[in-house]
Amino acid sequence: MESETDPNDMKSGGFHRACRWDFDSSGRQDLIAGTDKGLLYLLIEERPLGTGGACKYKSVGPLKDSEGKVIKVHNRACAGGMDLNGDGREDLVVGGVSYQKGIESDPNPGGGFYYLLNTGLDQDRLPVLTPMRPLPVQGHEFDFYVNSHVQIQAGVFDFMDVGTKQLVLAAQRDHFQGRIFEPCGHGGNIGVRYTGVMLPRLSIDDRLLDIDGDGKLEFVFGGGEQGEAYHQKISR
């Protein structure tokens, strides 16, 4: 995955993120990776984690939309899988912001949250994605500016007690407060609605993960540029 934002070493100084995306409802640990260049790569599980002490993935990308256009989400793209239109397939919510040297090659400098609907599989059993559109957000207004960051995480959050997938969106100007959203439309009415529940933060180095296997999520900080990672329990 090539990079482009770092002014000193653009190809190796990038920031990439990946998360699980069950694009074909197979239950595999397939991943969607958002790259420093704002591109998306699908990593398809070919050998599960832990098989013979290793795992194996097939990389597909950069992904294109149904019109054949390469999908570009500004820079430092992130993604989350969520069924936005109620058809039983996980769509994609994506985000990114134009950053440093990447601003020069961004056709539309800026930032935001967007969505791509997953309309099914093609003959190669790869997802067919609609062109990227801005994500309608109800209940909160995000403010985006270049040279900043956004974060996305989708999942079933035990502290919500709803048992269905929710979406956490965070932006740097909003102090990376992780605001939890739920889908509010079906069919052609796409969007998410703020639940009023908020985490203290969800920066680009933070994730919500069950790392001790107790069925509850921990707040995990990946270490950042200083390399000092830690985790802590989440209390209501």
Side-chain angles (χ1 to χ4, degrees):
M1 298 178 182
E2 285 189 346
S3 307
E4 69 173 1
T5 63
D6 193 296
N8 299 312
D9 192 358
M10 292 199 308
K11 289 198 173 182
S12 63
F15 189 87
H16 316 297
R17 284 173 278 183
C19 71
R20 185 182 179 188
W21 180 34
D22 194 8
F23 70 94
D24 58 358
S25 303
S26 66
R28 296 176 310 203
Q29 295 285 337
D30 299 321
L31 305 174
I32 182 72
T35 79
D36 190 76
K37 293 183 73 171
L39 306 178
L40 300 176
Y41 286 79
L42 178 60
L43 305 180
I44 301 174
E45 181 188 69
E46 293 191 325
R47 187 169 63 187
L49 180 66
T51 304
C55 59
K56 183 179 180 181
Y57 283 84
K58 178 176 71 175
S59 176
V60 179
L63 296 185
K64 298 180 180 179
D65 63 25
S66 56
E67 297 179 352
K69 183 179 178 181
V70 172
I71 300 164
K72 180 172 172 58
V73 197
H74 303 299
N75 295 121
R76 303 196 166 192
C78 53
M82 168 170 274
D83 183 4
L84 293 171
N85 58 359
D87 64 358
R89 289 187 291 263
E90 284 198 359
D91 308 300
L92 278 181
V93 176
V94 297
V97 180
S98 308
Y99 196 78
Q100 291 187 359
K101 291 291 289 186
I103 297 172
E104 300 173 9
S105 58
D106 193 337
N108 298 293
F113 295 117
Y114 308 89
Y115 74 92
L116 303 101
L117 295 181
N118 177 7
T119 62
L121 304 178
D122 64 15
Q123 61 184 5
D124 297 317
R125 300 197 60 77
L126 298 176
V128 179
L129 298 170
T130 61
M132 189 172 68
R133 298 284 184 267
L135 178 69
V137 176
Q138 297 181 16
H140 182 73
E141 184 174 348
F142 288 100
D143 186 12
F144 305 99
Y145 63 102
V146 297
N147 287 324
S148 67
H149 305 284
V150 296
Q151 174 68 298
I152 294 174
Q153 183 168 347
V156 178
F157 305 119
D158 56 303
F159 46 85
M160 286 287 292
D161 286 333
V162 293
T164 58
K165 209 164 193 180
Q166 308 289 304
L167 185 71
V168 182
L169 303 178
Q172 187 166 2
R173 181 156 282 179
D174 201 24
H175 306 291
F176 282 127
Q177 291 178 323
R179 299 179 186 273
I180 300 180
F181 294 80
E182 59 187 1
C184 61
H186 295 286
N189 182 28
I190 304 300
V192 295
R193 175 175 49 238
Y194 182 36
T195 63
V197 179
M198 183 175 63
L199 302 172
R201 71 177 187 277
L202 199 73
S203 78
I204 59 175
D205 298 306
D206 302 329
R207 302 300 287 175
L208 300 175
L209 301 169
D210 179 12
I211 63 171
D212 58 6
D214 67 350
K216 296 183 179 297
L217 296 173
E218 285 79 48
F219 179 85
V220 181
F221 175 70
E225 294 184 354
Q226 304 303 316
E228 297 180 3
Y230 64 84
H231 66 90
Q232 64 189 78
K233 291 290 184 181
I234 297 175
S235 59
R236 294 177 183 274

